[in-house]
Amino acid sequence: MSRIIFFVLIIAVIYFAWRSMRLKQIQLEIRLDKQEKANLAEHKNDMPGEKMVSCANCGLYVPISEAIYSNGKYYCSRQHAMKGPKAH
C-alpha cells in the first residue's frame, strides 16, 4: 500500500512540474507574439507608401514619381506616352 502512495506522489510531482513549465512556456510565447506584433507595427510606419498609377496604354501600375504624365493621363514609359492611350 505504501508503494502505491509513493508512486502516486511521484506521478503527481512530475505532473505539476510539467504543468508549471508548460504554463511558463505559454506565457513566454504570448509575450514574444506581442513584441513581434509591436515591432511589425513600428516598421510598417517606417516605410510610407507611394501612390501607384496605371499606364493608359498597357495598364501597368507604376509609382507616380516614375510615371510620365501626358495629355491628362499617366504612362509607364515615353514610348507609351507617344503612342497614346490604348483603345479598348
Side-chain angles (χ1 to χ4, degrees):
M1 184 68 168
S2 63
R3 282 188 172 189
I4 294 174
I5 294 173
F6 176 74
F7 285 118
V8 169
L9 286 175
I10 288 179
I11 291 172
V13 167
I14 291 172
Y15 170 74
F16 286 112
W18 172 80
R19 183 174 160 208
S20 174
M21 289 181 355
R22 182 67 182 134
L23 287 175
K24 286 180 184 178
Q25 183 181 9
I26 290 171
Q27 290 172 347
L28 178 63
E29 289 173 0
I30 290 171
R31 194 174 330 126
L32 290 175
D33 285 343
K34 286 181 182 178
Q35 287 176 352
E36 186 176 319
K37 287 179 185 176
N39 288 342
L40 286 176
E42 288 176 15
H43 292 299
K44 185 176 183 180
N45 294 333
D46 289 347
M47 296 185 284
E50 184 176 356
K51 183 177 178 184
M52 302 289 282
V53 292
S54 176
C55 175
N57 188 288
C58 67
L60 177 72
Y61 280 88
V62 293
I64 198 165
S65 63
E66 296 177 19
I68 309 295
Y69 187 75
S70 175
N71 295 329
K73 301 202 183 293
Y74 290 99
Y75 298 93
C76 64
S77 65
R78 273 193 226 127
Q79 291 83 8
H80 282 187
M82 289 189 316
K83 287 181 183 178
K86 187 173 187 178
H88 288 95

